[in-house]
């Protein structure tokens, strides 16, 4: 750095003799103040005549690195530049500007050099960062070695952590953010570890600096041993023995934030009032940087806490579906983002896999992400198809955008572990990656749709069947796109990572390989990854039967259910399951035509499902409603509206059939029940707990 060099100036005639010199040149090059006059440049700097003076005579500027011997006999590497002169004194031919390193013992002797090093050269270089830890290290690199031999930056814990308890009897706790030392002794790190929290008792120089907000001088002539004993660190006595110490307070509108600890060893002059003046000017400017970084760190920590509280704390899926996730917050150069992921187990051995990204950064993006996650859980509970669920989310984003513009991308996949079918829809999101066992990975060709909140386009889903062991990889754009890489290159790289053989590897290894190389990106966006290994449940854990829409089918359904439960060893659930199955089948026969399907699935619980061709949504009817009223009170009665008679064929119950007790019975016997749409109609299901 220029401020750590000393500049000497010599005026030369055409013969290379010294006609003029400044005070620094006299002090460094000659023991006699007048000894330089008339001396040749070659005598002062051996070897300077030929490369430098010849160029000056030719009117050219020339620079050379030469060895220079000082008046004390030390040999220094000097950068010598000769500038030809014209229009000045008739005998003055050139100026020689010599830059030499400042001797170690004289580092703190020139106040102008110290001021320039602290205020002009160092601060602009480190003041641009908002990372408090990087800023602390940068400030210490300026103080050491330009102002002191060793030092530390101490900040009050109460200004770093809002939940920090008030000061105890030992004084307010301070955290050591960074240390600096110029002798390479590892004992400094051991005696004064970075990140340590320590409290200084009242009456000590450290406590006086915090209380007064003024610079404080101190000496370790006698206190070094006492400090070593108080801190139980013997190396402190040797490191600080005889040192001169200056504490520089760091203040802001919030009060005293902390202080710089500056020490000089016995080989250098002790601190004086002028040092305190220069040091306090440095601390005052540094205070602005520290306050900005402190506020940014606290706001970022608040946003990260909010975001993490809004992200899932657990993922659920059928037992045959292995799910793994990774979430990586954006780098410290980037604000908190709005990426999220979901894995929600659905009744009947199905799972909804969702990944999304709210555009923008900051707390607002995190809050919008939380709203979308809440809506996703609600929509998943309604068992809407992916395309329809995304349409509902799009409507929500449009409503939120009326107050504040927002949009988001989202990919939604539903996998049925009984049939092996996947249904996927996307709203402006990057395509999911499918990795079949033993095959090449491919990006799913999902019908494109605008992002959520933009609208102006339909959202269409795609259905396909996957092999057992297939990997489904969902991700956000931060994984494949950054400032230095095009998104197409990122997509191609991800496909290579998840190439042939990837389907058999552990999911955590795949996630780690996918994230390889992103940690060094200082402008990295946040990243969400959700990878699932898909597989059907065993055939002996589910059974389905096709039944005609005939009253006799109810009696047959009872026998099929009772027989299957006997095979599964679930005889204690036989009576309740037979009852709910007969209710569901009865209601389906009443309100649909054509054949229907009864299915039992043993996954997490015992699920009984009835598929029919009607698209009417059943509901539990209240007793005061007319028996013929369907959902909404118009048209034919909805399937499963409660007209079942509790186990008999249609028409057997008479008045009981009009009482609307069918779904009341199902609701009492089952843990939960619901309805979902299917491509051919709907499915009414209920779930009981396994013993």
């Amino acid at each position: 750095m220029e401020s750590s060099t000393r500049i000497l100036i010599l005026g030369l005639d055409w013969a290379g003799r010294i006609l003029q010199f400044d005070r620094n040149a006299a002090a460094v090059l000659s023991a006699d103040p007048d000894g330089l006059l008339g001396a040749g440049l070659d005598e002062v700097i051996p070897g300077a005549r030929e490369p430098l003076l010849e160029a000056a005579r030719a009117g050219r500027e020339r620079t050379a690195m030469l060895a220079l011997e000082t008046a004390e006999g030390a040999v220094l590497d000097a950068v010598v530049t000769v500038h030809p002169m014209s229009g000045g004194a008739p005998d003055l031919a050139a100026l020689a500007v010599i830059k030499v390193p400042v001797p170690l013992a004289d580092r703190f002797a020139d106040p102008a050099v110290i001021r320039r090093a602290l205020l002009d050269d160092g601060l602009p270089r480190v003041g641009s960062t908002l990372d408090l830890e990087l800023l602390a290290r940068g400030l210490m690199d300026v103080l050491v070695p330009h102002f002191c031999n060793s030092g530390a930056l101490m900040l009050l814990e109460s200004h770093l952590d809002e939940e920090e308890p008030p000061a105890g009897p030992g004084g307010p706790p301070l955290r050591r953010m960074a240390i600096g030392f110029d002798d390479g002794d590892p004992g400094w790190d051991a005696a004064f570890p970075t990140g340590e929290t320590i409290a200084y008792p009242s009456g000590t120089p450290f406590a006086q600096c915090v209380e007064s907000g003024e610079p404080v001088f101190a000496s370790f002539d006698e206190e070094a041993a006492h400090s070593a004993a108080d801190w139980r660190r013997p190396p402190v006595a040797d490191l600080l023995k005889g040192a001169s110490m200056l504490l520089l307070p760091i203040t802001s509108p919030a009060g005293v934030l902390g202080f710089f600890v500056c020490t000089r060893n016995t080989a250098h002059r002790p601190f004086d009032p002028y040092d305190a003046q220069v040091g306090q000017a440095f601390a005052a400017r540094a205070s602005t940087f520290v306050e900005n970084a402190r506020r940014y760190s606290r706001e970022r920590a608040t946003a990260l806490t909010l975001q993490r509280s809004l992200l899932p704390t657990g993922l659920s899926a059928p037992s045959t579906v292995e799910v793994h996730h990774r979430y990586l917050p954006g780098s410290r150069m980037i604000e908190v983002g709005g990426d999220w992921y979901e894995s929600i187990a659905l009744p009947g051995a199905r799972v909804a896999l969702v990944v999304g990204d709210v555009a923008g950064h900051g707390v607002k993006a995190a809050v919008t992400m939380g709203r979308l996650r809440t809506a996703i859980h609600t929509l998943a509970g309604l068992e809407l198809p992916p395309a329809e669920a995304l349409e509902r989310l799009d409507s929500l984003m449009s409503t939120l955008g009326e107050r504040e513009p927002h949009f988001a991308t989202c990919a939604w996949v539903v996998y049925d572990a009984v049939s092996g079918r996947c249904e996927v829809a996307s709203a402006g999101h990057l395509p999911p990656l499918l990795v079949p066992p033993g095959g090449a990975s491919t990006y799913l060709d999902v019908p494109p749709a605008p992002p959520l909140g933009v609208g102006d386009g339909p959202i269409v889903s795609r259905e396909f069947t996957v092999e057992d062991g297939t990997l489904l990889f969902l991700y956000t754009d931060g994984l494949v796109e950054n400032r230095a890489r095009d998104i197409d290159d990122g997509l191609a790289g991800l496909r290579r990572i998840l190439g042939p053989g990837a389907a058999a590897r552990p999911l955590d290894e795949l996630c780690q390989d996918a994230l390889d190389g992103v940690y060094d990106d200082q402008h990295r966006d946040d990243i969400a990854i959700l990878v699932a290994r898909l597989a059907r449940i065993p055939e002996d854990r589910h059974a389905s039967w096709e039944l005609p829409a005939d009253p006799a089918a109810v009696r047959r359904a009872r026998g099929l259910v009772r027989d299957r439960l006997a095979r599964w060893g679930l005889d204690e659930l036989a009576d309740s399951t037979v009852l709910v199955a007969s209710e569901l089948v009865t209601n389906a026969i009443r309100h649909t035509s054509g054949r229907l399907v009864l299915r039992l699935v043993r996954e997490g619980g015992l699920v009984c499902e009835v598929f029919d061709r009607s698209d009417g949504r059943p509901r539990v009817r209240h007793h005061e409603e007319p028996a013929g009223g369907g959902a909404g009170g118009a048209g034919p009665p909805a399937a499963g509206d409660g007209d079942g008679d509790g186990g008999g064929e249609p028409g057997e119950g008479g008045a009981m059939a009009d009482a609307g007790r069918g779904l009341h019975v199902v609701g009492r016997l089952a843990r939960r029940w619901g309805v979902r749409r299917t491509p051919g109609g709907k499915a009414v299901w209920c779930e009981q707990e396994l013993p």
Side-chain angles (χ1 to χ4, degrees):
M1 184 182 296
E2 185 176 342
S3 58
S4 59
T5 63
R6 178 173 289 183
I7 299 177
L8 321 177
I9 300 178
L10 303 174
L12 309 173
D13 64 8
W14 293 105
R17 291 189 299 271
I18 298 175
L19 302 179
Q20 303 173 355
F21 54 88
D22 68 346
R23 182 174 55 186
N24 284 337
V28 174
L29 299 177
S30 176
D32 180 4
D34 297 325
L36 291 178
L37 283 176
L41 183 63
D42 265 354
E43 300 174 21
V44 178
I45 308 176
R49 181 181 183 88
E50 183 173 343
L52 299 177
L53 286 181
E54 298 301 327
R57 290 170 181 168
R60 299 192 307 273
E61 181 180 305
R62 183 75 179 270
T63 299
M65 176 74 77
L66 300 169
L68 177 150
E69 184 175 355
T70 68
E72 290 80 13
V75 178
L76 305 176
D77 290 330
V79 179
V80 185
T81 303
V82 174
H83 302 271
M85 302 293 292
S86 61
D91 294 335
L92 187 62
L95 283 181
V97 179
I98 307 167
K99 297 180 180 179
V100 296
V102 176
L104 183 63
D106 296 337
R107 270 190 300 161
F108 312 132
D110 191 338
V113 171
I114 295 176
R115 177 177 286 274
R116 185 169 69 248
L118 294 186
L119 305 182
D120 298 335
D121 296 340
L123 279 177
R125 180 168 50 87
V126 302
S128 60
T129 180
L130 289 175
D131 186 314
L132 190 55
E133 294 180 0
L134 291 178
L135 176 64
R137 290 196 293 269
L139 291 173
M140 292 314 305
D141 288 341
V142 175
L143 279 176
V144 181
H146 304 300
F147 187 69
C148 54
N149 298 111
S150 61
L153 172 57
M154 307 292 295
L155 294 181
L156 286 165
E157 280 285 356
S158 58
H159 290 291
L160 298 174
D161 186 356
E162 291 181 346
E163 299 180 358
E164 176 65 26
L174 294 103
R175 185 189 306 175
R176 189 176 296 108
M177 302 300 298
I179 67 168
F181 48 93
D182 62 2
D183 58 5
D185 188 345
W188 290 102
D189 283 318
F192 305 101
T194 300
E196 179 189 26
T197 299
I198 189 170
Y200 297 102
S202 178
T204 61
F206 310 99
Q208 293 174 13
C209 184
V210 173
E211 293 167 1
S212 66
E214 299 292 335
V216 175
F217 293 93
S219 172
F220 276 95
D221 287 337
E222 297 180 357
E223 291 191 15
H226 295 300
S227 299
D230 292 341
W231 298 339
R232 299 180 181 178
R233 296 173 189 174
V236 171
D238 295 330
L239 293 172
L240 295 179
K241 185 176 181 180
S244 172
M245 183 174 70
L246 174 62
L247 303 179
L248 302 171
I250 302 172
T251 60
S252 77
V256 177
L257 301 179
F259 50 79
F260 289 104
V261 182
C262 307
T263 60
R264 290 179 182 172
N265 59 35
T266 54
H268 301 84
R269 68 176 182 85
F271 291 106
D272 58 24
Y274 185 80
D275 289 319
Q277 181 183 352
V278 174
Q280 190 56 32
F282 170 82
R285 296 189 189 182
S287 297
T288 302
F289 304 144
V290 172
E291 175 66 4
N292 291 339
R294 182 185 71 89
R295 289 184 177 182
Y296 174 78
S297 296
R298 291 180 69 166
E299 291 176 1
R300 176 178 170 80
T302 300
L304 279 172
T305 301
L306 172 64
Q307 183 193 43
R308 287 167 180 165
S309 68
L310 295 174
L311 286 171
T313 56
L315 304 178
S316 58
S319 59
T320 57
V321 177
E322 182 185 359
V323 181
H324 198 81
H325 77 279
R326 281 291 184 91
Y327 176 79
L328 192 65
S331 65
R332 294 186 178 182
M333 303 294 292
I334 301 294
E335 289 187 89
V336 169
D339 292 13
W340 82 89
Y341 54 90
E342 293 284 357
S343 176
I344 307 172
L346 303 175
R350 296 177 306 120
V351 60
L353 304 168
V354 186
V355 162
D357 181 7
V358 177
H361 298 87
V363 174
K364 294 179 181 178
V367 170
T368 301
M369 177 266 288
R371 291 172 173 172
L372 288 176
R373 281 199 59 240
T374 301
I376 286 170
H377 277 267
T378 302
L379 296 173
L382 294 176
E383 300 189 86
L384 298 179
E388 186 174 345
L390 291 179
E391 289 175 354
R392 301 285 184 92
L393 288 179
D394 179 65
S395 177
L396 172 63
M397 287 295 291
S398 298
T399 302
L400 296 176
E402 294 176 359
R403 296 188 295 270
E404 184 174 351
H406 265 113
F407 71 90
T409 64
C410 184
W412 191 309
V413 181
V414 172
Y415 173 69
D416 188 333
V418 176
S419 63
R421 296 283 294 173
C422 270
E423 184 176 3
V424 57
S426 174
H429 202 78
L430 292 171
L433 186 64
L434 202 66
V435 187
S441 57
T442 58
Y443 287 104
L444 291 176
D445 185 14
V446 183
L452 304 175
V454 176
D456 298 330
I459 300 178
V460 182
S461 63
R462 175 189 172 188
E463 290 190 68
F464 54 93
T465 302
V466 299
E467 300 178 57
D468 287 354
T470 297
L471 291 184
L472 180 68
F473 195 89
L474 302 171
Y475 54 95
T476 55
D477 59 356
L479 180 65
V480 295
E481 184 180 25
N482 57 39
R483 293 187 175 188
R485 180 177 61 181
D486 185 75
I487 190 170
D488 290 335
D489 295 334
L491 291 171
L494 179 61
R495 187 175 177 182
R496 286 193 298 271
I497 293 172
L498 299 175
R505 295 178 56 195
L507 299 188
D508 57 342
E509 289 185 9
L510 293 176
C511 291
Q512 187 60 45
D513 289 349
L515 291 172
D516 186 31
V518 305
Y519 298 95
D520 295 334
D521 184 2
Q522 296 299 315
H523 297 274
R524 181 191 69 246
D525 196 2
D526 53 340
I527 299 172
I529 293 175
L530 185 68
V531 58
R533 181 176 283 114
L534 309 176
R536 296 175 176 86
I537 64 174
E539 293 185 359
D540 60 356
R541 286 166 52 185
H542 66 90
S544 59
W545 304 276
E546 188 174 352
L547 303 172
D550 184 89
V554 178
R555 184 172 287 109
R556 183 185 175 199
R558 294 176 188 155
L560 293 171
V561 169
R562 193 176 295 276
D563 179 66
R564 178 58 61 172
L565 293 183
R567 296 187 191 179
W568 287 345
L570 299 176
D571 296 289
E572 57 187 286
L573 293 179
D575 291 339
S576 59
T577 308
V578 164
L579 184 55
V580 296
S582 63
E583 290 290 350
L584 297 181
V585 171
T586 297
N587 285 320
I589 293 173
R590 281 182 179 274
H591 304 291
T592 188
S593 59
R595 302 184 70 82
L596 52 92
V597 175
L598 170 65
R599 185 166 78 173
L600 290 180
V601 179
R602 184 163 56 98
E603 172 59 40
L606 181 62
V607 178
C608 179
E609 300 173 304
V610 174
F611 298 80
D612 60 47
R613 297 182 181 179
S614 170
D615 59 358
R617 185 175 183 83
R619 64 183 177 86
V620 178
R621 185 192 307 137
H622 297 289
H623 291 292
E624 62 270 15
E625 295 183 25
D641 62 358
D643 286 346
D645 62 358
E649 283 78 3
E652 285 182 356
M656 288 295 292
D658 293 333
R661 64 185 284 260
L663 290 181
H664 285 287
V665 172
V666 173
R668 289 295 183 89
L669 294 176
R671 178 171 59 183
R672 54 179 177 165
W673 70 275
V675 185
R676 70 173 182 273
R677 295 181 184 175
T678 64
K682 70 173 183 304
V684 184
W685 59 270
C686 65
E687 183 181 55
Q688 301 176 82
E689 292 186 5
L690 291 173

